[in-house]
Amino acid sequence: MLLFLSAPQPRPPGARSRAGAARVARWRRQRLRLQQLRRLRGLLRGLRGRPGAGGRRRGRMALCGQAAGAASLPSELIVHIFSFLPAPDRLRASASCSHWRECLFYPALWPQLRICLRVSPAEQPRLEFLMRKCGWFVRELRVEFAAENYLSGGGGPGDAGDADGGPGGEDVEALQLSTRWLEVLRTYLELVLCVLVSIRNNRNLQKFSLFGDISILQQQGSLSNTYLSKADPDGKTIKQIQQLFEEILSNSRQLKWLSCGFMLEIVTPTSLSSLSNSIANTMEHLSLLDNNIPGNSTLITAVELERFVNLRSLALDFCDFTAEMARVLTDSNHVPLQRLSLLVHNVSVMHKSLDNMPNDEHWKALSRKSTSLRVYVMAFDVKSEDMLKILKPSIPLERIHFDSYITCVSGAIVDLISRQYDKFLTHFILMNDVIDMSGFPDLSDNRNEDPLVLLAWRCTKLSLLAVHGYTVWAHNLIAIARLRGSDLKVLEVTEESIDFDQGELADQDVDPVHNLIEQVSLGLGQPWHAVMDIESLSVFTEPNRHFYREMQSFSEDI
């Protein structure tokens, strides 16, 4: 028998087919995945710690000579696991053991920290612990301080409530409230100190936002400096806080976003001078607001603003935004400003002059400099004659919010807004908390057309309309829904603001409320109901707080 054997010829280099190479690569990947899966299964069996596991299995899973367990996992693996968990689950998982607890505050897990604090002594230990762990490395820090009266519905220092015990009882209650608010202010100062001390040496801080919601607004004005001087008689704590704030600014190396709103004298007119030129030149957002600044002082001047050449969003008190500032922002060395938020407060208007505000030519120059510039204005208890001076035709006004405790907005102002800003306006909010037993003011009184209907007709980009404390007739509400349709994403009107014509009420065959809900829902293309409780309004909150939060989202939406 003859056997003919042919020796295999060696393949020349590169002769392997692409399909074969792909099969080999796929096989290697599958083998690697299988090895990883076996390794993970082994870790899980070790973590379970079943009592029936044999000595050979325990020996196989031993790490560093000890049985494997939760504490034996490498720190890198624990941090990687934590990165997939939301913050509450991280906190619960960190209770497993001390090793996991140490990994909880790994810097990569906490790039940003947003805290909303009640001004209460109970918050201080928790804040101290959190800031001690994260304050030295956090990159984005946003802290809001809320006075307890907003959370519990109590009154301010000058609000004695409805005491039934006569004049003597009212005096006692007023004294108790004053004592309580002095304690609130002392706690507030301690909490602010805790935050600032923890980040004084943080060189990684990129976004820093502070908001202090404890300046109680009443008819007689804001919380007076008398209470602050009683809480800090010698002024040492306030001075220390101001110095710490300036130290943080001087030590910053990556700061891009600085926002400080209503923090009771923490920011001074000289605070920004602590920023180095290199940081000021790269700053992208700046927001400085404080109702307690004297009438002849401003937190930023036009000369100081010249350093902020890269500014893209700015938020100021309207009386501080002067014509000279508008001129600086139009200089060729400044990047185009894209977001401008302005707070028009009756306190500022009373103590500061409107003579230095930008005229229409300045607004035209700003709009030419940046075609994407949009403006957000909130007016708090501002008289109609002052609003007529403020609302220049060339302002690219996108959002406007009227909030009133004393002064109501007139129909003429609403009509002016709908005619001047029809190309830009997207948000219109009308809030009125004036106590008037005669009923809510009617914007359409003595007018052929309702100003709100004209607003919906002219402003084709309108996406949010919220009304409380002004009479809105049911047939006008239906007209607004039909005019804007599905483009009107939010239509919030409180039930107590809606009124019906006598003819609608006289029709026995139709339920006017049911008909209103049905017609508005059809017009909007989505289910709609009147707001039954004012506190469920998305915009219902203390005015300063709403402006701060709206300004933040408005500026971030670039």
Side-chain angles (χ1 to χ4, degrees), residues 189 228 232 235-243 264-266:
L189 295 176
L228 193 59
D232 184 26
K236 289 184 178 179
T237 306
I238 286 289
K239 187 65 175 177
Q240 183 181 1
I241 289 174
Q242 292 173 351
Q243 292 175 349
L264 285 182
E265 301 184 6
I266 289 179

Side-chain angles (χ1 to χ4, degrees), residues 35 61 65 211 241 243 313 333 467 475 547:
Q35 291 175 351
M61 291 302 302
F211 175 75
I241 289 174
Q243 292 175 349
S313 61
N333 62 328
V467 182
H475 61 274
F547 178 80

